[in-house]
Amino acid sequence: MISLPSAQLNLTNNSGLVEARYQLRLPDIAQSFNGLSLAQLIARVNLIYRQCPEAQSWAASSLALGDCSPELYRVREQALALEWLSEHSWQMWRLAHDWLGPDKARMQLLSRWRAELLSRKQALPDKRWLVNDGVQACSLAPLLDWQQQWRELVYQPLLEQSESDQLNGLFQPEFEAVARYETGSLVRVGGADGSFSARLTSLWDEAWLASAALCDSGVLPELNPVRGLVKAARGQLQHSGHWRNQASLKAGQQVSDYRIEIPTKSILQSLCHSLSGLEWSSLFANQLLLNQWLLSHSPCLEVNVQWSSEVTDSNTKLG
């Protein structure tokens, strides 16, 4: 039986200062990929992963076959850019919904936006993750005319609320320290620090950069995976495995020793580094703001926070 994934932050009061540790439980999904052919592997990846499926599929495909043709690369670039845009916009919308409260105009924006993104995804070739010399890049309609609505209903209200609640003053980790762990939008765009507004701005900037990449090649940083390493929406995603005979992949060669590393672990490590040493009483009194700051990290999993006055000995890292 496969256990459900979970992520937890354990915050303890150590002489008035916060000591942060994490627990991460992940099912060994990769084990079920052993013995599959490339086509079977891609099919199972698409079946299992609902978060970042395009990045997962590109990682698996690149591990087996390496570089692809310019046309196939362009289609995959469009698919990944669309995924970045979808994931980043959802994270910003969720922050606004949770923090600012339900809003009819914002609800309608999300509904219409999802329909727009779906129409573009449906225009992409279905078999873009397998070798297919007949794949052609799509001509997708731009989305920049949506930017002002997102600015007025989501982005600007969140920035103003963070200033009003002094959220940035509570959490100000240095960018260099954050970059030691994270590989997501904040690091790719290059933020000023690890504050809420910096994270929100990085999501915003990279989302519209991805929007432009739907129509123009080369807008995003070099994406072509190296040995299964892909720039997913939330950070670097790594697939690894072994085919005994690369030449026989089309004949159904099976993969073994399959492994997957998602960005969750590095995000949790960054969170622990940023929170450890903060004043306990201040953090405990601002739990609602802490939740918003955690969400601004765009974690792959819901992060459950446990408060305790007893200091534990070490991190528990499972999965």
Side-chain angles (χ1 to χ4, degrees):
M1 181 177 180
I2 296 179
S3 61
L4 294 177
S6 66
Q8 180 172 299
L9 274 178
N10 297 317
L11 304 181
T12 60
N13 185 347
N14 187 1
S15 302
L17 299 179
V18 174
E19 184 167 333
R21 303 177 185 275
Y22 73 87
Q23 290 179 306
L24 176 61
R25 292 182 173 87
L26 297 174
D28 191 6
I29 293 175
Q31 185 177 10
S32 70
F33 297 161
N34 290 326
L36 300 182
S37 67
L38 176 59
Q40 291 170 332
L41 172 60
I42 297 299
R44 184 162 296 184
V45 166
N46 287 327
L47 179 65
I48 292 176
Y49 287 101
R50 290 295 175 263
Q51 251 186 359
C52 295
E54 304 291 347
Q56 296 280 2
S57 295
W58 201 350
S61 180
S62 69
L63 179 65
L65 299 170
D67 294 336
C68 55
S69 68
E71 280 295 316
L72 188 55
Y73 174 87
R74 175 58 185 143
V75 171
R76 293 178 178 181
E77 180 185 39
Q78 288 177 308
L80 191 60
L82 188 60
E83 185 164 87
W84 280 17
L85 181 58
S86 177
E87 297 286 352
H88 289 353
S89 60
W90 161 246
Q91 201 67 30
M92 289 187 288
W93 187 93
R94 184 185 173 192
L95 281 164
H97 183 75
D98 288 354
W99 196 4
L100 308 179
D103 178 85
K104 183 178 179 180
R106 214 163 27 239
M107 293 287 290
Q108 292 174 340
L109 171 64
L110 181 65
S111 179
R112 292 184 289 109
W113 175 251
R114 283 178 165 173
E116 283 288 324
L117 297 185
L118 180 60
S119 69
R120 283 158 179 76
K121 184 173 183 178
Q122 290 174 335
L124 297 172
D126 291 334
K127 297 184 178 180
R128 53 189 173 272
W129 304 117
L130 298 174
V131 176
N132 189 341
D133 295 334
V135 167
Q136 296 294 318
C138 305
S139 177
L140 299 178
L143 285 160
L144 290 178
D145 56 340
W146 288 78
Q147 190 175 38
Q148 188 58 31
Q149 299 175 67
W150 275 92
R151 185 186 298 276
E152 293 177 355
L153 294 174
V154 177
Y155 179 60
Q156 196 62 40
L158 279 173
L159 282 180
E160 293 173 357
Q161 188 68 35
S162 67
E163 294 173 0
S164 175
D165 287 352
Q166 299 181 334
L167 177 56
N168 290 327
L170 286 172
F171 309 103
Q172 289 185 319
E174 295 181 355
F175 174 79
E176 290 77 10
V178 171
R180 287 168 49 192
Y181 301 98
E182 298 182 42
T183 55
S185 59
L186 181 68
V187 176
R188 290 189 295 239
V189 172
D193 50 47
S195 65
F196 176 87
S197 61
R199 291 183 177 281
L200 179 63
T201 299
S202 72
L203 288 172
W204 173 264
D205 290 345
E206 194 169 75
W208 296 109
L209 190 67
S211 172
L214 296 178
C215 305
D216 298 314
S217 180
V219 173
L220 294 179
E222 182 66 27
L223 296 174
N224 202 25
V226 177
R227 295 181 181 177
L229 185 66
V230 173
K231 296 176 180 178
R234 294 167 178 82
Q236 289 185 352
L237 168 71
Q238 177 76 63
H239 282 223
S240 60
H242 177 67
W243 273 273
R244 291 188 301 276
N245 184 359
Q246 291 283 321
S248 64
L249 282 173
K250 292 183 180 180
Q253 179 68 47
Q254 296 176 338
V255 68
S256 61
D257 302 322
Y258 212 89
R259 299 172 186 267
I260 300 175
E261 291 286 340
I262 63 175
T264 302
K265 181 178 178 180
S266 60
I267 291 174
L268 289 171
Q269 289 173 327
S270 179
L271 285 169
C272 288
H273 181 272
S274 298
L275 293 174
S276 293
L278 296 183
E279 184 180 293
W280 173 269
S281 60
S282 177
L283 189 64
F284 190 79
N286 290 283
Q287 295 184 38
L288 292 178
L289 295 183
L290 171 63
N291 290 338
Q292 300 308 313
W293 185 69
L294 294 179
L295 280 178
S296 71
H297 288 68
S298 304
C300 306
L301 300 173
E302 296 293 319
V303 179
N304 180 42
V305 179
Q306 292 292 322
W307 302 82
S308 173
S309 60
E310 296 181 3
V311 179
T312 54
D313 294 331
S314 60
N315 280 329
T316 301
K317 295 177 252 183
L318 306 177

